[in-house]
PDB file of all heavy atoms in Angstrom:
ATOM      1  N   THR R   1     -30.952   0.260  10.109  1.00 96.00           N
ATOM      2  CA  THR R   1     -29.757   0.855   9.608  1.00 96.00           C
ATOM      3  C   THR R   1     -29.271   0.028   8.458  1.00 96.00           C
ATOM      4  O   THR R   1     -28.888   0.569   7.403  1.00 96.00           O
ATOM      5  CB  THR R   1     -28.786   0.946  10.709  1.00 96.00           C
ATOM      6  OG1 THR R   1     -29.282   1.792  11.785  1.00 96.00           O
ATOM      7  CG2 THR R   1     -27.521   1.695  10.189  1.00 96.00           C
ATOM      8  N   VAL R   2     -29.329  -1.260   8.576  1.00 96.00           N
ATOM      9  CA  VAL R   2     -28.820  -2.205   7.629  1.00 96.00           C
ATOM     10  C   VAL R   2     -29.710  -2.149   6.405  1.00 96.00           C
ATOM     11  O   VAL R   2     -29.255  -2.068   5.219  1.00 96.00           O
ATOM     12  CB  VAL R   2     -28.642  -3.589   7.995  1.00 96.00           C
ATOM     13  CG1 VAL R   2     -28.459  -4.644   6.924  1.00 96.00           C
ATOM     14  CG2 VAL R   2     -27.539  -3.658   9.185  1.00 96.00           C
ATOM     15  N   LEU R   3     -31.028  -2.070   6.542  1.00 96.00           N
ATOM     16  CA  LEU R   3     -31.969  -1.905   5.422  1.00 96.00           C
ATOM     17  C   LEU R   3     -31.635  -0.541   4.730  1.00 96.00           C
ATOM     18  O   LEU R   3     -31.707  -0.456   3.418  1.00 96.00           O
ATOM     19  CB  LEU R   3     -33.344  -1.901   5.865  1.00 96.00           C
ATOM     20  CG  LEU R   3     -33.843  -3.274   6.290  1.00 96.00           C
ATOM     21  CD1 LEU R   3     -35.274  -3.081   6.875  1.00 96.00           C
ATOM     22  CD2 LEU R   3     -33.934  -4.186   5.135  1.00 96.00           C
ATOM     23  N   TYR R   4     -31.401   0.440   5.466  1.00 96.00           N
ATOM     24  CA  TYR R   4     -31.088   1.854   4.937  1.00 96.00           C
ATOM     25  C   TYR R   4     -29.914   1.719   4.001  1.00 96.00           C
ATOM     26  O   TYR R   4     -29.709   2.179   2.814  1.00 96.00           O
ATOM     27  CB  TYR R   4     -30.936   2.848   5.911  1.00 96.00           C
ATOM     28  CG  TYR R   4     -30.579   4.117   5.558  1.00 96.00           C
ATOM     29  CD1 TYR R   4     -31.366   5.049   4.806  1.00 96.00           C
ATOM     30  CD2 TYR R   4     -29.204   4.670   5.661  1.00 96.00           C
ATOM     31  CE1 TYR R   4     -30.980   6.325   4.439  1.00 96.00           C
ATOM     32  CE2 TYR R   4     -28.843   5.958   5.263  1.00 96.00           C
ATOM     33  CZ  TYR R   4     -29.650   6.640   4.559  1.00 96.00           C
ATOM     34  OH  TYR R   4     -29.283   8.047   4.280  1.00 96.00           O
ATOM     35  N   PHE R   5     -28.646   1.058   4.520  1.00 95.00           N
ATOM     36  CA  PHE R   5     -27.411   0.966   3.801  1.00 95.00           C
ATOM     37  C   PHE R   5     -27.572   0.127   2.629  1.00 95.00           C
ATOM     38  O   PHE R   5     -27.117   0.435   1.576  1.00 95.00           O
ATOM     39  CB  PHE R   5     -26.281   0.487   4.755  1.00 95.00           C
ATOM     40  CG  PHE R   5     -25.715   1.465   5.682  1.00 95.00           C
ATOM     41  CD1 PHE R   5     -25.414   1.151   6.958  1.00 95.00           C
ATOM     42  CD2 PHE R   5     -25.630   2.781   5.381  1.00 95.00           C
ATOM     43  CE1 PHE R   5     -25.032   2.045   7.929  1.00 95.00           C
ATOM     44  CE2 PHE R   5     -25.208   3.750   6.274  1.00 95.00           C
ATOM     45  CZ  PHE R   5     -24.782   3.340   7.499  1.00 95.00           C
ATOM     46  N   VAL R   6     -28.352  -0.938   2.755  1.00 94.00           N
ATOM     47  CA  VAL R   6     -28.600  -1.798   1.560  1.00 94.00           C
ATOM     48  C   VAL R   6     -29.421  -1.170   0.557  1.00 94.00           C
ATOM     49  O   VAL R   6     -29.192  -1.311  -0.706  1.00 94.00           O
ATOM     50  CB  VAL R   6     -29.192  -3.158   1.963  1.00 94.00           C
ATOM     51  CG1 VAL R   6     -29.695  -4.005   0.806  1.00 94.00           C
ATOM     52  CG2 VAL R   6     -28.231  -4.032   2.767  1.00 94.00           C
ATOM     53  N   GLY R   7     -30.305  -0.307   0.856  1.00 94.00           N
ATOM     54  CA  GLY R   7     -31.139   0.406   0.017  1.00 94.00           C
ATOM     55  C   GLY R   7     -30.276   1.509  -0.781  1.00 94.00           C
ATOM     56  O   GLY R   7     -30.434   1.676  -1.983  1.00 94.00           O
ATOM     57  N   ILE R   8     -29.421   2.130  -0.125  1.00 94.00           N
ATOM     58  CA  ILE R   8     -28.424   3.004  -0.691  1.00 94.00           C
ATOM     59  C   ILE R   8     -27.556   2.351  -1.742  1.00 94.00           C
ATOM     60  O   ILE R   8     -27.383   2.803  -2.873  1.00 94.00           O
ATOM     61  CB  ILE R   8     -27.602   3.780   0.325  1.00 94.00           C
ATOM     62  CG1 ILE R   8     -28.526   4.783   1.054  1.00 94.00           C
ATOM     63  CG2 ILE R   8     -26.482   4.577  -0.308  1.00 94.00           C
ATOM     64  CD1 ILE R   8     -27.696   5.486   2.344  1.00 94.00           C
ATOM     65  N   ALA R   9     -27.050   1.242  -1.340  1.00 92.00           N
ATOM     66  CA  ALA R   9     -26.151   0.490  -2.198  1.00 92.00           C
ATOM     67  C   ALA R   9     -26.997  -0.008  -3.400  1.00 92.00           C
ATOM     68  O   ALA R   9     -26.454  -0.046  -4.593  1.00 92.00           O
ATOM     69  CB  ALA R   9     -25.574  -0.745  -1.402  1.00 92.00           C
ATOM     70  N   THR R  10     -28.203  -0.437  -3.157  1.00 92.00           N
ATOM     71  CA  THR R  10     -29.071  -0.954  -4.345  1.00 92.00           C
ATOM     72  C   THR R  10     -29.312   0.283  -5.306  1.00 92.00           C
ATOM     73  O   THR R  10     -29.262   0.105  -6.597  1.00 92.00           O
ATOM     74  CB  THR R  10     -30.358  -1.508  -3.826  1.00 92.00           C
ATOM     75  OG1 THR R  10     -30.062  -2.595  -2.946  1.00 92.00           O
ATOM     76  CG2 THR R  10     -31.185  -2.119  -5.055  1.00 92.00           C
ATOM     77  N   CYS R  11     -29.580   1.472  -4.747  1.00 92.00           N
ATOM     78  CA  CYS R  11     -29.908   2.531  -5.710  1.00 92.00           C
ATOM     79  C   CYS R  11     -28.657   2.959  -6.550  1.00 92.00           C
ATOM     80  O   CYS R  11     -28.830   3.218  -7.706  1.00 92.00           O
ATOM     81  CB  CYS R  11     -30.311   3.759  -4.855  1.00 92.00           C
ATOM     82  SG  CYS R  11     -31.934   3.683  -4.133  1.00 92.00           S
ATOM     83  N   PHE R  12     -27.517   3.024  -5.893  1.00 89.00           N
ATOM     84  CA  PHE R  12     -26.302   3.315  -6.632  1.00 89.00           C
ATOM     85  C   PHE R  12     -25.980   2.129  -7.706  1.00 89.00           C
ATOM     86  O   PHE R  12     -25.275   2.407  -8.662  1.00 89.00           O
ATOM     87  CB  PHE R  12     -25.158   3.594  -5.730  1.00 89.00           C
ATOM     88  CG  PHE R  12     -25.133   4.997  -5.088  1.00 89.00           C
ATOM     89  CD1 PHE R  12     -25.291   5.126  -3.748  1.00 89.00           C
ATOM     90  CD2 PHE R  12     -25.126   6.088  -5.879  1.00 89.00           C
ATOM     91  CE1 PHE R  12     -25.333   6.355  -3.219  1.00 89.00           C
ATOM     92  CE2 PHE R  12     -25.186   7.393  -5.356  1.00 89.00           C
ATOM     93  CZ  PHE R  12     -25.223   7.565  -4.054  1.00 89.00           C
ATOM     94  N   GLY R  13     -26.332   0.944  -7.327  1.00 87.00           N
ATOM     95  CA  GLY R  13     -26.066  -0.102  -8.191  1.00 87.00           C
ATOM     96  C   GLY R  13     -26.860  -0.010  -9.574  1.00 87.00           C
ATOM     97  O   GLY R  13     -26.356  -0.468 -10.488  1.00 87.00           O
ATOM     98  N   PHE R  14     -28.036   0.572  -9.426  1.00 89.00           N
ATOM     99  CA  PHE R  14     -28.823   0.677 -10.659  1.00 89.00           C
ATOM    100  C   PHE R  14     -28.547   2.047 -11.401  1.00 89.00           C
ATOM    101  O   PHE R  14     -29.180   2.248 -12.500  1.00 89.00           O
ATOM    102  CB  PHE R  14     -30.375   0.600 -10.362  1.00 89.00           C
ATOM    103  CG  PHE R  14     -30.718  -0.796  -9.989  1.00 89.00           C
ATOM    104  CD1 PHE R  14     -31.281  -1.117  -8.694  1.00 89.00           C
ATOM    105  CD2 PHE R  14     -30.634  -1.826 -10.797  1.00 89.00           C
ATOM    106  CE1 PHE R  14     -31.725  -2.335  -8.415  1.00 89.00           C
ATOM    107  CE2 PHE R  14     -31.018  -3.087 -10.544  1.00 89.00           C
ATOM    108  CZ  PHE R  14     -31.541  -3.376  -9.398  1.00 89.00           C
ATOM    109  N   ALA R  15     -27.715   2.905 -10.869  1.00 86.00           N
ATOM    110  CA  ALA R  15     -27.380   4.184 -11.504  1.00 86.00           C
ATOM    111  C   ALA R  15     -26.643   3.820 -12.770  1.00 86.00           C
ATOM    112  O   ALA R  15     -25.758   2.986 -12.776  1.00 86.00           O
ATOM    113  CB  ALA R  15     -26.618   5.056 -10.576  1.00 86.00           C
ATOM    114  N   LYS R  16     -27.078   4.517 -13.750  1.00 86.00           N
ATOM    115  CA  LYS R  16     -26.389   4.151 -15.203  1.00 86.00           C
ATOM    116  C   LYS R  16     -25.327   5.197 -15.646  1.00 86.00           C
ATOM    117  O   LYS R  16     -24.518   4.943 -16.273  1.00 86.00           O
ATOM    118  CB  LYS R  16     -27.377   4.226 -16.269  1.00 86.00           C
ATOM    119  CG  LYS R  16     -28.541   3.114 -16.050  1.00 86.00           C
ATOM    120  CD  LYS R  16     -29.417   2.994 -17.185  1.00 86.00           C
ATOM    121  CE  LYS R  16     -30.661   2.149 -16.834  1.00 86.00           C
ATOM    122  NZ  LYS R  16     -30.543   0.831 -17.133  1.00 86.00           N
ATOM    123  N   ASP R  17     -25.385   6.448 -15.102  1.00 88.00           N
ATOM    124  CA  ASP R  17     -24.521   7.441 -15.731  1.00 88.00           C
ATOM    125  C   ASP R  17     -23.208   7.674 -14.713  1.00 88.00           C
ATOM    126  O   ASP R  17     -22.835   8.749 -14.460  1.00 88.00           O
ATOM    127  CB  ASP R  17     -25.135   8.641 -15.855  1.00 88.00           C
ATOM    128  CG  ASP R  17     -25.884   9.191 -14.648  1.00 88.00           C
ATOM    129  OD1 ASP R  17     -26.036   8.508 -13.700  1.00 88.00           O
ATOM    130  OD2 ASP R  17     -26.300  10.350 -14.628  1.00 88.00           O
ATOM    131  N   MET R  18     -22.717   6.626 -13.979  1.00 87.00           N
ATOM    132  CA  MET R  18     -21.634   6.759 -13.104  1.00 87.00           C
ATOM    133  C   MET R  18     -20.483   5.897 -13.707  1.00 87.00           C
ATOM    134  O   MET R  18     -20.643   4.834 -14.384  1.00 87.00           O
ATOM    135  CB  MET R  18     -21.935   6.149 -11.773  1.00 87.00           C
ATOM    136  CG  MET R  18     -22.732   7.077 -10.842  1.00 87.00           C
ATOM    137  SD  MET R  18     -22.707   6.312  -9.199  1.00 87.00           S
ATOM    138  CE  MET R  18     -24.021   7.279  -8.492  1.00 87.00           C
ATOM    139  N   SER R  19     -19.235   6.298 -13.384  1.00 90.00           N
ATOM    140  CA  SER R  19     -18.142   5.479 -13.693  1.00 90.00           C
ATOM    141  C   SER R  19     -18.068   4.216 -12.827  1.00 90.00           C
ATOM    142  O   SER R  19     -18.650   4.221 -11.819  1.00 90.00           O
ATOM    143  CB  SER R  19     -16.736   6.211 -13.604  1.00 90.00           C
ATOM    144  OG  SER R  19     -16.575   6.501 -12.235  1.00 90.00           O
ATOM    145  N   LEU R  20     -17.403   3.152 -13.250  1.00 89.00           N
ATOM    146  CA  LEU R  20     -17.474   1.890 -12.552  1.00 89.00           C
ATOM    147  C   LEU R  20     -16.769   2.113 -11.219  1.00 89.00           C
ATOM    148  O   LEU R  20     -17.272   1.495 -10.203  1.00 89.00           O
ATOM    149  CB  LEU R  20     -16.694   0.797 -13.301  1.00 89.00           C
ATOM    150  CG  LEU R  20     -16.536  -0.493 -12.757  1.00 89.00           C
ATOM    151  CD1 LEU R  20     -17.997  -1.145 -12.566  1.00 89.00           C
ATOM    152  CD2 LEU R  20     -15.656  -1.375 -13.537  1.00 89.00           C
ATOM    153  N   PHE R  21     -15.697   2.885 -11.027  1.00 92.00           N
ATOM    154  CA  PHE R  21     -14.939   3.007  -9.825  1.00 92.00           C
ATOM    155  C   PHE R  21     -15.906   3.689  -8.828  1.00 92.00           C
ATOM    156  O   PHE R  21     -16.045   3.247  -7.659  1.00 92.00           O
ATOM    157  CB  PHE R  21     -13.717   3.848 -10.012  1.00 92.00           C
ATOM    158  CG  PHE R  21     -13.077   4.241  -8.755  1.00 92.00           C
ATOM    159  CD1 PHE R  21     -12.373   3.363  -7.931  1.00 92.00           C
ATOM    160  CD2 PHE R  21     -13.242   5.485  -8.188  1.00 92.00           C
ATOM    161  CE1 PHE R  21     -11.771   3.650  -6.794  1.00 92.00           C
ATOM    162  CE2 PHE R  21     -12.508   5.897  -6.935  1.00 92.00           C
ATOM    163  CZ  PHE R  21     -11.790   4.854  -6.333  1.00 92.00           C
ATOM    164  N   VAL R  22     -16.649   4.679  -9.217  1.00 91.00           N
ATOM    165  CA  VAL R  22     -17.443   5.425  -8.297  1.00 91.00           C
ATOM    166  C   VAL R  22     -18.677   4.574  -7.899  1.00 91.00           C
ATOM    167  O   VAL R  22     -19.154   4.448  -6.637  1.00 91.00           O
ATOM    168  CB  VAL R  22     -17.955   6.681  -9.032  1.00 91.00           C
ATOM    169  CG1 VAL R  22     -19.159   7.406  -8.047  1.00 91.00           C
ATOM    170  CG2 VAL R  22     -16.868   7.674  -9.131  1.00 91.00           C
ATOM    171  N   LYS R  23     -19.138   3.851  -8.891  1.00 91.00           N
ATOM    172  CA  LYS R  23     -20.318   2.912  -8.527  1.00 91.00           C
ATOM    173  C   LYS R  23     -19.900   1.760  -7.551  1.00 91.00           C
ATOM    174  O   LYS R  23     -20.641   1.552  -6.578  1.00 91.00           O
ATOM    175  CB  LYS R  23     -20.768   2.271  -9.820  1.00 91.00           C
ATOM    176  CG  LYS R  23     -22.166   1.478  -9.567  1.00 91.00           C
ATOM    177  CD  LYS R  23     -22.462   0.754 -10.976  1.00 91.00           C
ATOM    178  CE  LYS R  23     -23.270   1.773 -11.827  1.00 91.00           C
ATOM    179  NZ  LYS R  23     -23.964   1.045 -12.887  1.00 91.00           N
ATOM    180  N   VAL R  24     -18.657   1.142  -7.709  1.00 91.00           N
ATOM    181  CA  VAL R  24     -18.253   0.225  -6.873  1.00 91.00           C
ATOM    182  C   VAL R  24     -17.961   0.899  -5.367  1.00 91.00           C
ATOM    183  O   VAL R  24     -18.336   0.255  -4.435  1.00 91.00           O
ATOM    184  CB  VAL R  24     -16.849  -0.489  -7.408  1.00 91.00           C
ATOM    185  CG1 VAL R  24     -16.344  -1.335  -6.427  1.00 91.00           C
ATOM    186  CG2 VAL R  24     -17.268  -1.321  -8.701  1.00 91.00           C
ATOM    187  N   LEU R  25     -17.452   2.001  -5.424  1.00 93.00           N
ATOM    188  CA  LEU R  25     -17.207   2.677  -4.132  1.00 93.00           C
ATOM    189  C   LEU R  25     -18.491   3.045  -3.446  1.00 93.00           C
ATOM    190  O   LEU R  25     -18.518   2.606  -2.248  1.00 93.00           O
ATOM    191  CB  LEU R  25     -16.379   3.949  -4.453  1.00 93.00           C
ATOM    192  CG  LEU R  25     -16.032   4.792  -3.221  1.00 93.00           C
ATOM    193  CD1 LEU R  25     -14.942   3.999  -2.504  1.00 93.00           C
ATOM    194  CD2 LEU R  25     -15.544   6.194  -3.504  1.00 93.00           C
ATOM    195  N   PHE R  26     -19.560   3.442  -4.132  1.00 91.00           N
ATOM    196  CA  PHE R  26     -20.757   3.801  -3.511  1.00 91.00           C
ATOM    197  C   PHE R  26     -21.648   2.590  -3.111  1.00 91.00           C
ATOM    198  O   PHE R  26     -22.578   2.669  -2.395  1.00 91.00           O
ATOM    199  CB  PHE R  26     -21.587   4.692  -4.457  1.00 91.00           C
ATOM    200  CG  PHE R  26     -21.135   6.171  -4.361  1.00 91.00           C
ATOM    201  CD1 PHE R  26     -21.845   7.071  -5.229  1.00 91.00           C
ATOM    202  CD2 PHE R  26     -20.110   6.666  -3.609  1.00 91.00           C
ATOM    203  CE1 PHE R  26     -21.329   8.439  -5.190  1.00 91.00           C
ATOM    204  CE2 PHE R  26     -19.685   7.868  -3.517  1.00 91.00           C
ATOM    205  CZ  PHE R  26     -20.303   8.797  -4.379  1.00 91.00           C
ATOM    206  N   ILE R  27     -21.205   1.389  -3.672  1.00 92.00           N
ATOM    207  CA  ILE R  27     -21.934   0.098  -3.301  1.00 92.00           C
ATOM    208  C   ILE R  27     -21.255  -0.498  -2.105  1.00 92.00           C
ATOM    209  O   ILE R  27     -21.750  -0.952  -1.209  1.00 92.00           O
ATOM    210  CB  ILE R  27     -22.001  -0.841  -4.421  1.00 92.00           C
ATOM    211  CG1 ILE R  27     -22.890  -0.308  -5.465  1.00 92.00           C
ATOM    212  CG2 ILE R  27     -22.439  -2.251  -4.058  1.00 92.00           C
ATOM    213  CD1 ILE R  27     -22.974  -1.009  -6.806  1.00 92.00           C
ATOM    214  N   LEU R  28     -19.687  -0.473  -2.189  1.00 95.00           N
ATOM    215  CA  LEU R  28     -19.033  -1.145  -1.150  1.00 95.00           C
ATOM    216  C   LEU R  28     -19.063  -0.433   0.238  1.00 95.00           C
ATOM    217  O   LEU R  28     -19.175  -1.139   1.144  1.00 95.00           O
ATOM    218  CB  LEU R  28     -17.536  -1.261  -1.616  1.00 95.00           C
ATOM    219  CG  LEU R  28     -17.291  -2.347  -2.488  1.00 95.00           C
ATOM    220  CD1 LEU R  28     -15.698  -2.453  -2.882  1.00 95.00           C
ATOM    221  CD2 LEU R  28     -17.634  -3.766  -1.903  1.00 95.00           C
ATOM    222  N   VAL R  29     -19.003   0.829   0.224  1.00 95.00           N
ATOM    223  CA  VAL R  29     -19.014   1.524   1.502  1.00 95.00           C
ATOM    224  C   VAL R  29     -20.266   1.242   2.397  1.00 95.00           C
ATOM    225  O   VAL R  29     -20.170   0.852   3.618  1.00 95.00           O
ATOM    226  CB  VAL R  29     -18.784   3.060   1.262  1.00 95.00           C
ATOM    227  CG1 VAL R  29     -18.996   3.912   2.637  1.00 95.00           C
ATOM    228  CG2 VAL R  29     -17.346   3.380   0.842  1.00 95.00           C
ATOM    229  N   PRO R  30     -21.465   1.397   1.873  1.00 94.00           N
ATOM    230  CA  PRO R  30     -22.660   1.071   2.565  1.00 94.00           C
ATOM    231  C   PRO R  30     -22.618  -0.312   3.015  1.00 94.00           C
ATOM    232  O   PRO R  30     -23.094  -0.640   4.219  1.00 94.00           O
ATOM    233  CB  PRO R  30     -23.748   1.415   1.737  1.00 94.00           C
ATOM    234  CG  PRO R  30     -23.319   2.408   0.766  1.00 94.00           C
ATOM    235  CD  PRO R  30     -21.888   1.916   0.463  1.00 94.00           C
ATOM    236  N   LEU R  31     -22.246  -1.241   2.125  1.00 94.00           N
ATOM    237  CA  LEU R  31     -22.264  -2.731   2.507  1.00 94.00           C
ATOM    238  C   LEU R  31     -21.263  -2.950   3.642  1.00 94.00           C
ATOM    239  O   LEU R  31     -21.456  -3.826   4.624  1.00 94.00           O
ATOM    240  CB  LEU R  31     -21.959  -3.600   1.414  1.00 94.00           C
ATOM    241  CG  LEU R  31     -23.037  -3.550   0.340  1.00 94.00           C
ATOM    242  CD1 LEU R  31     -22.624  -4.527  -0.857  1.00 94.00           C
ATOM    243  CD2 LEU R  31     -24.312  -4.001   0.893  1.00 94.00           C
ATOM    244  N   ILE R  32     -20.030  -2.256   3.602  1.00 96.00           N
ATOM    245  CA  ILE R  32     -19.045  -2.283   4.794  1.00 96.00           C
ATOM    246  C   ILE R  32     -19.605  -1.900   5.991  1.00 96.00           C
ATOM    247  O   ILE R  32     -19.538  -2.535   7.096  1.00 96.00           O
ATOM    248  CB  ILE R  32     -17.775  -1.856   4.327  1.00 96.00           C
ATOM    249  CG1 ILE R  32     -17.109  -2.536   3.226  1.00 96.00           C
ATOM    250  CG2 ILE R  32     -16.882  -1.691   5.478  1.00 96.00           C
ATOM    251  CD1 ILE R  32     -15.884  -1.922   2.658  1.00 96.00           C
ATOM    252  N   LEU R  33     -20.261  -0.744   5.865  1.00 95.00           N
ATOM    253  CA  LEU R  33     -20.810  -0.178   7.062  1.00 95.00           C
ATOM    254  C   LEU R  33     -22.013  -1.007   7.654  1.00 95.00           C
ATOM    255  O   LEU R  33     -22.123  -1.012   8.863  1.00 95.00           O
ATOM    256  CB  LEU R  33     -21.374   1.267   6.818  1.00 95.00           C
ATOM    257  CG  LEU R  33     -20.521   2.415   6.498  1.00 95.00           C
ATOM    258  CD1 LEU R  33     -21.104   3.603   6.006  1.00 95.00           C
ATOM    259  CD2 LEU R  33     -19.620   2.651   7.713  1.00 95.00           C
ATOM    260  N   SER R  34     -22.748  -1.794   6.757  1.00 96.00           N
ATOM    261  CA  SER R  34     -23.762  -2.817   7.295  1.00 96.00           C
ATOM    262  C   SER R  34     -23.156  -3.889   8.096  1.00 96.00           C
ATOM    263  O   SER R  34     -23.559  -4.299   9.202  1.00 96.00           O
ATOM    264  CB  SER R  34     -24.497  -3.133   6.083  1.00 96.00           C
ATOM    265  OG  SER R  34     -25.173  -2.301   5.370  1.00 96.00           O
ATOM    266  N   GLY R  35     -22.069  -4.393   7.650  1.00 96.00           N
ATOM    267  CA  GLY R  35     -21.308  -5.369   8.250  1.00 96.00           C
ATOM    268  C   GLY R  35     -20.677  -4.933   9.751  1.00 96.00           C
ATOM    269  O   GLY R  35     -20.869  -5.703  10.643  1.00 96.00           O
ATOM    270  N   VAL R  36     -20.202  -3.704   9.726  1.00 96.00           N
ATOM    271  CA  VAL R  36     -19.794  -3.125  10.928  1.00 96.00           C
ATOM    272  C   VAL R  36     -21.013  -2.969  11.952  1.00 96.00           C
ATOM    273  O   VAL R  36     -20.803  -3.223  13.035  1.00 96.00           O
ATOM    274  CB  VAL R  36     -18.967  -1.843  10.667  1.00 96.00           C
ATOM    275  CG1 VAL R  36     -18.759  -1.085  12.025  1.00 96.00           C
ATOM    276  CG2 VAL R  36     -17.655  -1.949   9.910  1.00 96.00           C
ATOM    277  N   MET R  37     -22.074  -2.517  11.371  1.00 96.00           N
ATOM    278  CA  MET R  37     -23.140  -2.397  12.181  1.00 96.00           C
ATOM    279  C   MET R  37     -23.805  -3.654  12.903  1.00 96.00           C
ATOM    280  O   MET R  37     -24.123  -3.769  14.090  1.00 96.00           O
ATOM    281  CB  MET R  37     -24.368  -1.748  11.426  1.00 96.00           C
ATOM    282  CG  MET R  37     -25.609  -1.298  12.210  1.00 96.00           C
ATOM    283  SD  MET R  37     -25.275   0.112  13.361  1.00 96.00           S
ATOM    284  CE  MET R  37     -26.779   0.159  14.240  1.00 96.00           C
ATOM    285  N   ILE R  38     -23.639  -4.688  12.067  1.00 96.00           N
ATOM    286  CA  ILE R  38     -24.126  -5.984  12.572  1.00 96.00           C
ATOM    287  C   ILE R  38     -23.148  -6.412  13.583  1.00 96.00           C
ATOM    288  O   ILE R  38     -23.480  -7.050  14.695  1.00 96.00           O
ATOM    289  CB  ILE R  38     -24.189  -7.002  11.431  1.00 96.00           C
ATOM    290  CG1 ILE R  38     -25.452  -6.671  10.497  1.00 96.00           C
ATOM    291  CG2 ILE R  38     -24.261  -8.393  11.913  1.00 96.00           C
ATOM    292  CD1 ILE R  38     -25.539  -7.366   9.298  1.00 96.00           C
ATOM    293  N   GLY R  39     -21.828  -6.249  13.376  1.00 96.00           N
ATOM    294  CA  GLY R  39     -20.745  -6.656  14.328  1.00 96.00           C
ATOM    295  C   GLY R  39     -20.941  -5.938  15.704  1.00 96.00           C
ATOM    296  O   GLY R  39     -20.865  -6.563  16.710  1.00 96.00           O
TER     297      GLY R  39
END
């Protein structure tokens, strides 16, 4: 699950045609979910 969430965050991190807010949101949410999953 953590690998999946990190992969999603990485894919959105390399997306070029998104606004900064959307990009940060799509990166932070999977990373937060990864932290929760580990907890």
Side-chain angles (χ1 to χ4, degrees):
T1 305
V2 167
L3 287 174
Y4 176 73
F5 285 143
V6 169
I8 289 173
T10 303
C11 288
F12 282 118
F14 288 121
K16 295 187 192 269
D17 57 345
M18 283 189 194
S19 69
L20 181 62
F21 174 74
V22 173
K23 189 182 275 193
V24 168
L25 185 69
F26 282 178
I27 292 172
L28 279 181
V29 170
L31 294 180
I32 291 170
L33 289 173
S34 295
V36 170
M37 185 70 184
I38 291 170

